[in-house]
Amino acid sequence: MLVAAAVCPCPPLLVPEVAAGAAPELDAARAACADAVGVLAAARPDLLIVAGPAGPDHLGPFPAGSPGSFAGFGVGLTVRLGQAPAPASSPPRPLPASLAVGAWLLHRARWSGAPVEGFGVAERLEPDRCVRAGRELAARADRVAMLVMGDGSACRTVKAPGYLDARAADFDAEAARALGTADLAALSALDETLAHELSVAGRAPWQVLAGAAEGAGLGGQPLYEDAPYGVGYVVASWS
C-alpha cells in the first residue's frame, strides 16, 4: 500500500551544476522538494519508487543502483538510484532525465531509508493504463512510498519552450490543486490530449500516482507552485 508520496518537477535545471549562474532562481523549488522528500523518509517505507516521464527507450522498471548522467546537459555529473543490492550480471540501463533528477534529489537528501527503484512512464500512456500501473506499483511492498517527477505545461509564456497557450494556466491550476489536495478523481480525469497539446510532461506520472493511492486515504499538502521559464512546476507531499 502507498503510505506517502512526494510530487516534484523534473527539469535538469533543478541541479545547480546544470543551472550554473541561474541556479538561485530555483532555490525555492529545491527547498520545497527537500521538504517533500523528508515526508517520504518520515513514513518509513519498505520500498521507494521514483516515477517520471520517459521516452521509448527508458520505459518500465529500473533496478536499484541504475546510473544517471547529466552529460547531455553539458555537465560531467553522474548519479545513482539508491544502492545496488549486488553486482549485476549486466550493466543496468541508464536513467531517463526525469529519474536522474529524482536520484539527485535523493542523493542531496542523503536518502538511506529504504531500497529505491525507478519506473519510466510513457508521456502518452492512456489514463486507465496509468492508473493500473500505479495499482501494481503500490502492491510491490507492504509500505510503498513514491517520488513522482513531472512538469506542468511548457506553454505558460511567449518565451516558454512551447510558446504561449491561453489554456495552459487553467490546466496547471487544476493540476496543482489536485496534487496539493490529493484529489485522485481530478488527477485521473486530466485530459490526455490537452496535456499533450500543452506539453505537460507530468500528466501520466501524476495519474500513475492516482492509481497507486487508491484506498490509501492520503491527504495532500501543497509546498510550491510557480512557472519559471514559462513551465509549470508543482511540489506537493502526500501522507
PDB file of all heavy atoms in Angstrom, residues 10 14 19 31-32 41 55 63 70 88 98-100 121 129 152 159 203 223 226 234 236:
ATOM      1  N   CYS A  10      10.690  18.032 -12.723  1.00  0.00           N
ATOM      2  CA  CYS A  10      11.858  17.260 -13.140  1.00  0.00           C
ATOM      3  C   CYS A  10      12.790  17.971 -14.113  1.00  0.00           C
ATOM      4  O   CYS A  10      13.502  17.304 -14.875  1.00  0.00           O
ATOM      5  CB  CYS A  10      11.424  15.913 -13.720  1.00  0.00           C
ATOM      6  SG  CYS A  10      10.338  16.017 -15.159  1.00  0.00           S
ATOM      7  N   LEU A  14      17.014  21.919 -11.984  1.00  0.00           N
ATOM      8  CA  LEU A  14      16.988  21.788 -10.526  1.00  0.00           C
ATOM      9  C   LEU A  14      18.388  21.486  -9.980  1.00  0.00           C
ATOM     10  O   LEU A  14      18.692  21.806  -8.831  1.00  0.00           O
ATOM     11  CB  LEU A  14      16.035  20.670 -10.100  1.00  0.00           C
ATOM     12  CG  LEU A  14      14.578  21.013  -9.812  1.00  0.00           C
ATOM     13  CD1 LEU A  14      13.840  19.764  -9.357  1.00  0.00           C
ATOM     14  CD2 LEU A  14      14.448  22.106  -8.779  1.00  0.00           C
ATOM     15  N   ALA A  19      22.217  24.259 -13.875  1.00  0.00           N
ATOM     16  CA  ALA A  19      21.695  25.618 -13.963  1.00  0.00           C
ATOM     17  C   ALA A  19      22.802  26.660 -13.979  1.00  0.00           C
ATOM     18  O   ALA A  19      22.611  27.766 -14.504  1.00  0.00           O
ATOM     19  CB  ALA A  19      20.753  25.884 -12.788  1.00  0.00           C
ATOM     20  N   ALA A  31      14.175  23.804  -2.190  1.00  0.00           N
ATOM     21  CA  ALA A  31      13.849  23.703  -0.768  1.00  0.00           C
ATOM     22  C   ALA A  31      12.538  22.958  -0.565  1.00  0.00           C
ATOM     23  O   ALA A  31      12.410  22.126   0.345  1.00  0.00           O
ATOM     24  CB  ALA A  31      13.775  25.096  -0.146  1.00  0.00           C
ATOM     25  N   ALA A  32      11.545  23.236  -1.414  1.00  0.00           N
ATOM     26  CA  ALA A  32      10.259  22.540  -1.307  1.00  0.00           C
ATOM     27  C   ALA A  32      10.424  21.054  -1.602  1.00  0.00           C
ATOM     28  O   ALA A  32       9.826  20.199  -0.939  1.00  0.00           O
ATOM     29  CB  ALA A  32       9.246  23.168  -2.260  1.00  0.00           C
ATOM     30  N   ALA A  41      10.768  10.068   3.955  1.00  0.00           N
ATOM     31  CA  ALA A  41      11.610   9.400   4.944  1.00  0.00           C
ATOM     32  C   ALA A  41      10.859   9.169   6.243  1.00  0.00           C
ATOM     33  O   ALA A  41      11.002   8.108   6.874  1.00  0.00           O
ATOM     34  CB  ALA A  41      12.869  10.234   5.191  1.00  0.00           C
ATOM     35  N   GLY A  55      11.142   8.515 -22.434  1.00  0.00           N
ATOM     36  CA  GLY A  55      10.991   8.200 -23.842  1.00  0.00           C
ATOM     37  C   GLY A  55      10.916   6.711 -24.075  1.00  0.00           C
ATOM     38  O   GLY A  55      11.032   5.901 -23.141  1.00  0.00           O
ATOM     39  N   PRO A  63      16.136  -1.027 -11.811  1.00  0.00           N
ATOM     40  CA  PRO A  63      16.512  -1.585 -10.513  1.00  0.00           C
ATOM     41  C   PRO A  63      17.337  -0.609  -9.689  1.00  0.00           C
ATOM     42  O   PRO A  63      17.877   0.377 -10.202  1.00  0.00           O
ATOM     43  CB  PRO A  63      17.339  -2.813 -10.892  1.00  0.00           C
ATOM     44  CG  PRO A  63      17.937  -2.460 -12.218  1.00  0.00           C
ATOM     45  CD  PRO A  63      16.873  -1.655 -12.921  1.00  0.00           C
ATOM     46  N   PHE A  70      24.185  13.630 -16.349  1.00  0.00           N
ATOM     47  CA  PHE A  70      23.780  14.929 -16.882  1.00  0.00           C
ATOM     48  C   PHE A  70      24.752  15.404 -17.960  1.00  0.00           C
ATOM     49  O   PHE A  70      24.795  16.591 -18.279  1.00  0.00           O
ATOM     50  CB  PHE A  70      23.679  15.948 -15.740  1.00  0.00           C
ATOM     51  CG  PHE A  70      22.598  15.606 -14.749  1.00  0.00           C
ATOM     52  CD1 PHE A  70      22.889  14.935 -13.582  1.00  0.00           C
ATOM     53  CD2 PHE A  70      21.278  15.934 -15.012  1.00  0.00           C
ATOM     54  CE1 PHE A  70      21.886  14.603 -12.675  1.00  0.00           C
ATOM     55  CE2 PHE A  70      20.266  15.602 -14.125  1.00  0.00           C
ATOM     56  CZ  PHE A  70      20.574  14.944 -12.948  1.00  0.00           C
ATOM     57  N   ALA A  88      25.458  -6.618 -10.680  1.00  0.00           N
ATOM     58  CA  ALA A  88      24.555  -7.160 -11.696  1.00  0.00           C
ATOM     59  C   ALA A  88      25.353  -7.923 -12.746  1.00  0.00           C
ATOM     60  O   ALA A  88      26.529  -7.651 -12.993  1.00  0.00           O
ATOM     61  CB  ALA A  88      23.768  -6.021 -12.349  1.00  0.00           C
ATOM     62  N   SER A  98      14.296  12.480 -16.158  1.00  0.00           N
ATOM     63  CA  SER A  98      13.398  12.737 -15.024  1.00  0.00           C
ATOM     64  C   SER A  98      13.804  11.917 -13.802  1.00  0.00           C
ATOM     65  O   SER A  98      13.795  12.419 -12.669  1.00  0.00           O
ATOM     66  CB  SER A  98      11.945  12.420 -15.403  1.00  0.00           C
ATOM     67  OG  SER A  98      11.770  11.035 -15.676  1.00  0.00           O
ATOM     68  N   LEU A  99      14.180  10.659 -14.017  1.00  0.00           N
ATOM     69  CA  LEU A  99      14.586   9.812 -12.895  1.00  0.00           C
ATOM     70  C   LEU A  99      15.983  10.181 -12.407  1.00  0.00           C
ATOM     71  O   LEU A  99      16.285  10.014 -11.222  1.00  0.00           O
ATOM     72  CB  LEU A  99      14.532   8.338 -13.288  1.00  0.00           C
ATOM     73  CG  LEU A  99      13.168   7.782 -13.713  1.00  0.00           C
ATOM     74  CD1 LEU A  99      13.223   6.258 -13.787  1.00  0.00           C
ATOM     75  CD2 LEU A  99      12.055   8.226 -12.787  1.00  0.00           C
ATOM     76  N   ALA A 100      16.824  10.691 -13.299  1.00  0.00           N
ATOM     77  CA  ALA A 100      18.138  11.166 -12.867  1.00  0.00           C
ATOM     78  C   ALA A 100      17.990  12.359 -11.926  1.00  0.00           C
ATOM     79  O   ALA A 100      18.699  12.463 -10.922  1.00  0.00           O
ATOM     80  CB  ALA A 100      18.993  11.543 -14.073  1.00  0.00           C
ATOM     81  N   VAL A 121       7.631   6.266 -17.281  1.00  0.00           N
ATOM     82  CA  VAL A 121       6.245   6.281 -17.759  1.00  0.00           C
ATOM     83  C   VAL A 121       6.172   6.983 -19.109  1.00  0.00           C
ATOM     84  O   VAL A 121       6.682   8.111 -19.256  1.00  0.00           O
ATOM     85  CB  VAL A 121       5.318   7.011 -16.763  1.00  0.00           C
ATOM     86  CG1 VAL A 121       3.867   6.892 -17.206  1.00  0.00           C
ATOM     87  CG2 VAL A 121       5.512   6.475 -15.352  1.00  0.00           C
ATOM     88  N   ARG A 129      -4.482   3.045 -18.202  1.00  0.00           N
ATOM     89  CA  ARG A 129      -3.273   2.242 -18.061  1.00  0.00           C
ATOM     90  C   ARG A 129      -2.335   2.850 -17.014  1.00  0.00           C
ATOM     91  O   ARG A 129      -1.633   2.117 -16.313  1.00  0.00           O
ATOM     92  CB  ARG A 129      -2.571   2.112 -19.407  1.00  0.00           C
ATOM     93  CG  ARG A 129      -3.364   1.307 -20.441  1.00  0.00           C
ATOM     94  CD  ARG A 129      -2.612   1.192 -21.746  1.00  0.00           C
ATOM     95  NE  ARG A 129      -1.352   0.459 -21.594  1.00  0.00           N
ATOM     96  CZ  ARG A 129      -0.415   0.407 -22.543  1.00  0.00           C
ATOM     97  NH1 ARG A 129      -0.600   1.054 -23.696  1.00  0.00           N
ATOM     98  NH2 ARG A 129       0.688  -0.285 -22.339  1.00  0.00           N
ATOM     99  N   GLY A 152       4.422  20.638 -15.284  1.00  0.00           N
ATOM    100  CA  GLY A 152       3.172  21.086 -15.867  1.00  0.00           C
ATOM    101  C   GLY A 152       3.387  21.571 -17.291  1.00  0.00           C
ATOM    102  O   GLY A 152       4.342  21.169 -17.968  1.00  0.00           O
ATOM    103  N   LYS A 159       7.923  33.080 -24.077  1.00  0.00           N
ATOM    104  CA  LYS A 159       9.300  32.592 -24.096  1.00  0.00           C
ATOM    105  C   LYS A 159       9.415  31.143 -23.624  1.00  0.00           C
ATOM    106  O   LYS A 159      10.518  30.605 -23.546  1.00  0.00           O
ATOM    107  CB  LYS A 159      10.183  33.489 -23.228  1.00  0.00           C
ATOM    108  CG  LYS A 159      10.342  34.902 -23.776  1.00  0.00           C
ATOM    109  CD  LYS A 159      11.314  35.719 -22.934  1.00  0.00           C
ATOM    110  CE  LYS A 159      11.511  37.108 -23.529  1.00  0.00           C
ATOM    111  NZ  LYS A 159      12.471  37.911 -22.720  1.00  0.00           N
ATOM    112  N   ARG A 203       1.624  14.661 -16.707  1.00  0.00           N
ATOM    113  CA  ARG A 203       0.266  14.107 -16.662  1.00  0.00           C
ATOM    114  C   ARG A 203       0.252  12.609 -16.384  1.00  0.00           C
ATOM    115  O   ARG A 203      -0.429  12.119 -15.464  1.00  0.00           O
ATOM    116  CB  ARG A 203      -0.449  14.415 -17.991  1.00  0.00           C
ATOM    117  CG  ARG A 203      -1.946  14.074 -18.045  1.00  0.00           C
ATOM    118  CD  ARG A 203      -2.257  12.640 -18.396  1.00  0.00           C
ATOM    119  NE  ARG A 203      -1.576  12.210 -19.606  1.00  0.00           N
ATOM    120  CZ  ARG A 203      -1.541  10.958 -20.031  1.00  0.00           C
ATOM    121  NH1 ARG A 203      -2.131   9.986 -19.319  1.00  0.00           N
ATOM    122  NH2 ARG A 203      -0.888  10.616 -21.128  1.00  0.00           N
ATOM    123  N   LEU A 223       3.269  22.587  -1.509  1.00  0.00           N
ATOM    124  CA  LEU A 223       4.508  23.167  -1.000  1.00  0.00           C
ATOM    125  C   LEU A 223       5.091  24.239  -1.911  1.00  0.00           C
ATOM    126  O   LEU A 223       5.836  25.103  -1.447  1.00  0.00           O
ATOM    127  CB  LEU A 223       5.551  22.067  -0.784  1.00  0.00           C
ATOM    128  CG  LEU A 223       5.187  20.960   0.216  1.00  0.00           C
ATOM    129  CD1 LEU A 223       6.276  19.901   0.250  1.00  0.00           C
ATOM    130  CD2 LEU A 223       4.953  21.547   1.606  1.00  0.00           C
ATOM    131  N   ASP A 226       4.812  27.487  -9.232  1.00  0.00           N
ATOM    132  CA  ASP A 226       5.298  28.647  -9.972  1.00  0.00           C
ATOM    133  C   ASP A 226       5.532  28.212 -11.411  1.00  0.00           C
ATOM    134  O   ASP A 226       5.415  27.018 -11.737  1.00  0.00           O
ATOM    135  CB  ASP A 226       6.581  29.187  -9.335  1.00  0.00           C
ATOM    136  CG  ASP A 226       6.844  30.658  -9.690  1.00  0.00           C
ATOM    137  OD1 ASP A 226       6.080  31.218 -10.506  1.00  0.00           O
ATOM    138  OD2 ASP A 226       7.810  31.234  -9.162  1.00  0.00           O
ATOM    139  N   VAL A 234       5.243  22.186  -9.794  1.00  0.00           N
ATOM    140  CA  VAL A 234       4.469  21.966  -8.579  1.00  0.00           C
ATOM    141  C   VAL A 234       5.234  21.026  -7.674  1.00  0.00           C
ATOM    142  O   VAL A 234       5.824  20.038  -8.132  1.00  0.00           O
ATOM    143  CB  VAL A 234       3.086  21.337  -8.897  1.00  0.00           C
ATOM    144  CG1 VAL A 234       2.335  20.997  -7.615  1.00  0.00           C
ATOM    145  CG2 VAL A 234       2.263  22.280  -9.760  1.00  0.00           C
ATOM    146  N   ALA A 236       4.426  18.948  -4.011  1.00  0.00           N
ATOM    147  CA  ALA A 236       3.415  18.613  -3.013  1.00  0.00           C
ATOM    148  C   ALA A 236       3.850  17.363  -2.271  1.00  0.00           C
ATOM    149  O   ALA A 236       4.639  16.559  -2.788  1.00  0.00           O
ATOM    150  CB  ALA A 236       2.052  18.382  -3.662  1.00  0.00           C
TER     151      ALA A 236
END
